[in-house]
Amino acid sequence: MDGDAWRGPDRNGNRNGQAAASVTKGAALLVAAFLANTLQSAFARAVGADMDALTFTWLTFVLALVLLIPVLVVRGGRDLSTAVLPLHLLRGGMGMGGFLLFMAAAKLVNLVNANVLLNTTPMFIPLLAWLVLKQRIPANLWKALAVGFAGMVIVVQPNASLLDKPGDLLGLAAGFVCAIEFLAVKSLGKSESSFTQLAYFLTIGSLTSSLMMLGRFQSITWHQLLLVLASAVCLLSFQLLLIRAYSFADPSAIGAFQYSSVIFAGLIGWIWFEQIPNLGVVVGTVLICIGGVLSLVWQNPPRPTPDWSA
């Protein structure tokens, strides 16, 4: 056999193996990221009614920033310069708002509802691109959105009592706000490092929530402080793991793994808080997951595989 002919398939096989390994790493990191994200909602619920969602959000952002500062110092402050401050302001404001809404929802409804409604984000993104950026939505993507929003209606069950128990609406609002944040993150990713994004995100979120906390400060117990500190660690972990995951693989290849958070929420809610979702929530959750996965795939078509044998 000719030597070049032998090396060609081997090189192609190595390339394919590396691509598969990258997708596997990206998927594993994304699952870990959404485990951290789910744990945040569990910690918010565990602190109890004595600490409201705003206080929990404020402390989480401030403590996360305190934990990040030594890292920024060790890196010589090179992550602090930016030429796109308005994008950071948009991302920071929307990110803090989405976190606050998500934590408020987690305190009012079971963890599955809060997490699955937050995960409507992939369905809001193309709608925002259509409304704001005038981008065309393909027919297949409309079908995916219809499936997902049908599931949303089943989970939320809109009726006259919804305003009296707004937890599901807050979770849905968190999904919408995080869609705006995600569009800002995609733009920031073109020029900003992960630590630059995180530094501005936490600083803006800390300042905004601190202003909202004026006149509302309250004493907390050591038990509550430990839970909020755990939430801060999860916030840092989620952001860094998410950025790292998408450095290994495209959203179309691994984005579906974000719905692992629904499984984590179900297990944590059942074991920790004795929450068991009803049949309607289960059916709606399945539809939202299907719609979300399809919208991720059809928003981000896979890149063509290079022909390494050429």
Side-chain angles (χ1 to χ4, degrees), residues 57-66 92 96 199-213:
T57 299
W58 168 65
L59 282 173
T60 296
F61 270 77
V62 170
L63 289 174
L65 181 59
V66 169
M96 193 281 295
Y200 280 92
F201 170 65
L202 293 177
T203 300
I204 293 166
S206 296
L207 291 174
T208 304
S209 56
S210 294
L211 290 174
M212 296 172 68
M213 279 293 296

Tab-separated table of all heavy atoms in Angstrom, residues 57-66 92 96 199-213:
chain	number	residue	atom	x	y	z
A	57	THR	N	-29.910	37.948	45.515
A	57	THR	CA	-29.213	38.311	44.269
A	57	THR	C	-28.054	39.251	44.554
A	57	THR	O	-26.938	39.061	44.047
A	57	THR	CB	-30.198	38.967	43.284
A	57	THR	OG1	-31.232	38.031	42.963
A	57	THR	CG2	-29.499	39.405	42.008
A	58	TRP	N	-28.300	40.268	45.347
A	58	TRP	CA	-27.260	41.247	45.686
A	58	TRP	C	-26.067	40.574	46.344
A	58	TRP	O	-24.915	40.766	45.927
A	58	TRP	CB	-27.854	42.313	46.605
A	58	TRP	CG	-26.835	43.210	47.249
A	58	TRP	CD1	-26.007	44.089	46.622
A	58	TRP	CD2	-26.543	43.291	48.649
A	58	TRP	NE1	-25.211	44.722	47.543
A	58	TRP	CE2	-25.519	44.259	48.789
A	58	TRP	CE3	-27.058	42.675	49.788
A	58	TRP	CZ2	-24.993	44.592	50.039
A	58	TRP	CZ3	-26.529	43.015	51.032
A	58	TRP	CH2	-25.506	43.967	51.147
A	59	LEU	N	-26.311	39.770	47.368
A	59	LEU	CA	-25.213	39.101	48.067
A	59	LEU	C	-24.474	38.124	47.159
A	59	LEU	O	-23.241	38.009	47.223
A	59	LEU	CB	-25.758	38.360	49.294
A	59	LEU	CG	-26.075	39.227	50.521
A	59	LEU	CD1	-26.775	38.399	51.595
A	59	LEU	CD2	-24.795	39.844	51.085
A	60	THR	N	-25.209	37.420	46.303
A	60	THR	CA	-24.565	36.473	45.390
A	60	THR	C	-23.608	37.189	44.447
A	60	THR	O	-22.460	36.758	44.257
A	60	THR	CB	-25.624	35.704	44.574
A	60	THR	OG1	-26.428	34.909	45.451
A	60	THR	CG2	-24.962	34.782	43.555
A	61	PHE	N	-24.046	38.296	43.862
A	61	PHE	CA	-23.184	39.039	42.930
A	61	PHE	C	-21.989	39.655	43.643
A	61	PHE	O	-20.855	39.590	43.130
A	61	PHE	CB	-23.996	40.124	42.214
A	61	PHE	CG	-24.634	39.657	40.942
A	61	PHE	CD1	-25.777	38.876	40.966
A	61	PHE	CD2	-24.101	39.984	39.708
A	61	PHE	CE1	-26.375	38.423	39.803
A	61	PHE	CE2	-24.679	39.545	38.531
A	61	PHE	CZ	-25.823	38.759	38.573
A	62	VAL	N	-22.209	40.239	44.807
A	62	VAL	CA	-21.106	40.885	45.534
A	62	VAL	C	-20.069	39.845	45.962
A	62	VAL	O	-18.858	40.048	45.788
A	62	VAL	CB	-21.641	41.657	46.758
A	62	VAL	CG1	-20.496	42.108	47.651
A	62	VAL	CG2	-22.456	42.875	46.304
A	63	LEU	N	-20.519	38.732	46.509
A	63	LEU	CA	-19.583	37.697	46.949
A	63	LEU	C	-18.842	37.074	45.759
A	63	LEU	O	-17.650	36.775	45.845
A	63	LEU	CB	-20.322	36.613	47.739
A	63	LEU	CG	-20.820	37.028	49.124
A	63	LEU	CD1	-21.671	35.925	49.747
A	63	LEU	CD2	-19.640	37.354	50.041
A	64	ALA	N	-19.543	36.879	44.633
A	64	ALA	CA	-18.887	36.339	43.443
A	64	ALA	C	-17.806	37.303	42.952
A	64	ALA	O	-16.716	36.877	42.538
A	64	ALA	CB	-19.918	36.080	42.344
A	65	LEU	N	-18.082	38.608	42.997
A	65	LEU	CA	-17.089	39.604	42.584
A	65	LEU	C	-15.888	39.582	43.521
A	65	LEU	O	-14.733	39.665	43.065
A	65	LEU	CB	-17.726	40.990	42.560
A	65	LEU	CG	-16.818	42.151	42.132
A	65	LEU	CD1	-16.272	41.924	40.717
A	65	LEU	CD2	-17.590	43.478	42.201
A	66	VAL	N	-16.140	39.468	44.820
A	66	VAL	CA	-15.047	39.390	45.803
A	66	VAL	C	-14.168	38.170	45.524
A	66	VAL	O	-12.935	38.239	45.604
A	66	VAL	CB	-15.617	39.331	47.240
A	66	VAL	CG1	-14.520	38.982	48.245
A	66	VAL	CG2	-16.251	40.663	47.607
A	92	GLY	N	-24.679	43.116	31.524
A	92	GLY	CA	-24.696	43.121	32.981
A	92	GLY	C	-26.080	43.391	33.544
A	92	GLY	O	-26.538	42.718	34.471
A	96	MET	N	-28.166	40.452	35.468
A	96	MET	CA	-28.596	40.612	36.856
A	96	MET	C	-30.111	40.519	36.961
A	96	MET	O	-30.657	39.878	37.862
A	96	MET	CB	-28.097	41.958	37.395
A	96	MET	CG	-28.210	42.117	38.909
A	96	MET	SD	-29.872	42.529	39.508
A	96	MET	CE	-30.083	44.157	38.789
A	199	ALA	N	-15.795	39.932	34.660
A	199	ALA	CA	-15.487	41.068	35.532
A	199	ALA	C	-16.538	42.167	35.391
A	199	ALA	O	-17.039	42.709	36.393
A	199	ALA	CB	-14.096	41.612	35.203
A	200	TYR	N	-16.879	42.519	34.157
A	200	TYR	CA	-17.871	43.569	33.943
A	200	TYR	C	-19.275	43.103	34.328
A	200	TYR	O	-20.066	43.875	34.893
A	200	TYR	CB	-17.835	44.040	32.487
A	200	TYR	CG	-16.719	45.013	32.224
A	200	TYR	CD1	-15.476	44.573	31.777
A	200	TYR	CD2	-16.894	46.379	32.442
A	200	TYR	CE1	-14.434	45.468	31.553
A	200	TYR	CE2	-15.860	47.279	32.216
A	200	TYR	CZ	-14.630	46.817	31.773
A	200	TYR	OH	-13.609	47.710	31.560
A	201	PHE	N	-19.581	41.849	34.035
A	201	PHE	CA	-20.892	41.297	34.386
A	201	PHE	C	-21.142	41.384	35.889
A	201	PHE	O	-22.187	41.867	36.347
A	201	PHE	CB	-20.952	39.837	33.910
A	201	PHE	CG	-22.144	39.061	34.405
A	201	PHE	CD1	-23.430	39.393	34.024
A	201	PHE	CD2	-21.970	37.975	35.253
A	201	PHE	CE1	-24.524	38.671	34.475
A	201	PHE	CE2	-23.057	37.246	35.710
A	201	PHE	CZ	-24.340	37.599	35.324
A	202	LEU	N	-20.162	40.938	36.688
A	202	LEU	CA	-20.330	40.936	38.144
A	202	LEU	C	-20.274	42.349	38.725
A	202	LEU	O	-21.006	42.666	39.668
A	202	LEU	CB	-19.268	40.055	38.788
A	202	LEU	CG	-19.377	38.554	38.502
A	202	LEU	CD1	-18.220	37.798	39.143
A	202	LEU	CD2	-20.712	37.998	39.003
A	203	THR	N	-19.413	43.206	38.156
A	203	THR	CA	-19.323	44.581	38.660
A	203	THR	C	-20.619	45.342	38.409
A	203	THR	O	-21.161	46.004	39.315
A	203	THR	CB	-18.150	45.320	37.988
A	203	THR	OG1	-16.925	44.633	38.276
A	203	THR	CG2	-18.061	46.752	38.497
A	204	ILE	N	-21.141	45.239	37.201
A	204	ILE	CA	-22.383	45.939	36.858
A	204	ILE	C	-23.551	45.364	37.658
A	204	ILE	O	-24.391	46.116	38.187
A	204	ILE	CB	-22.649	45.845	35.345
A	204	ILE	CG1	-21.579	46.626	34.582
A	204	ILE	CG2	-24.043	46.367	34.996
A	204	ILE	CD1	-21.533	46.331	33.097
A	205	GLY	N	-23.607	44.042	37.770
A	205	GLY	CA	-24.673	43.420	38.559
A	205	GLY	C	-24.600	43.803	40.030
A	205	GLY	O	-25.633	44.065	40.666
A	206	SER	N	-23.378	43.874	40.573
A	206	SER	CA	-23.211	44.245	41.985
A	206	SER	C	-23.631	45.693	42.229
A	206	SER	O	-24.324	45.997	43.211
A	206	SER	CB	-21.754	44.053	42.412
A	206	SER	OG	-21.373	42.697	42.342
A	207	LEU	N	-23.203	46.597	41.334
A	207	LEU	CA	-23.560	48.011	41.501
A	207	LEU	C	-25.063	48.227	41.351
A	207	LEU	O	-25.685	48.961	42.138
A	207	LEU	CB	-22.801	48.860	40.482
A	207	LEU	CG	-21.287	48.975	40.696
A	207	LEU	CD1	-20.639	49.726	39.532
A	207	LEU	CD2	-20.992	49.682	42.017
A	208	THR	N	-25.660	47.594	40.350
A	208	THR	CA	-27.100	47.763	40.112
A	208	THR	C	-27.915	47.232	41.283
A	208	THR	O	-28.839	47.907	41.777
A	208	THR	CB	-27.514	47.027	38.821
A	208	THR	OG1	-26.728	47.498	37.730
A	208	THR	CG2	-28.990	47.262	38.524
A	209	SER	N	-27.583	46.040	41.745
A	209	SER	CA	-28.339	45.454	42.860
A	209	SER	C	-28.084	46.208	44.157
A	209	SER	O	-28.974	46.301	45.010
A	209	SER	CB	-27.990	43.974	43.017
A	209	SER	OG	-26.601	43.773	43.194
A	210	SER	N	-26.870	46.789	44.317
A	210	SER	CA	-26.588	47.582	45.527
A	210	SER	C	-27.466	48.830	45.570
A	210	SER	O	-27.981	49.213	46.635
A	210	SER	CB	-25.109	47.989	45.558
A	210	SER	OG	-24.275	46.860	45.704
A	211	LEU	N	-27.646	49.475	44.415
A	211	LEU	CA	-28.535	50.637	44.355
A	211	LEU	C	-29.970	50.240	44.696
A	211	LEU	O	-30.680	50.976	45.402
A	211	LEU	CB	-28.475	51.269	42.966
A	211	LEU	CG	-27.180	51.992	42.601
A	211	LEU	CD1	-27.197	52.434	41.140
A	211	LEU	CD2	-26.969	53.201	43.515
A	212	MET	N	-30.381	49.080	44.215
A	212	MET	CA	-31.740	48.600	44.507
A	212	MET	C	-31.913	48.226	45.971
A	212	MET	O	-33.032	48.215	46.492
A	212	MET	CB	-32.060	47.399	43.617
A	212	MET	CG	-32.094	47.714	42.127
A	212	MET	SD	-32.244	46.237	41.085
A	212	MET	CE	-33.905	45.707	41.488
A	213	MET	N	-30.792	47.923	46.650
A	213	MET	CA	-30.853	47.498	48.048
A	213	MET	C	-30.845	48.664	49.036
A	213	MET	O	-31.001	48.448	50.238
A	213	MET	CB	-29.673	46.580	48.358
A	213	MET	CG	-29.856	45.139	47.918
A	213	MET	SD	-31.164	44.287	48.845
A	213	MET	CE	-30.481	44.318	50.504
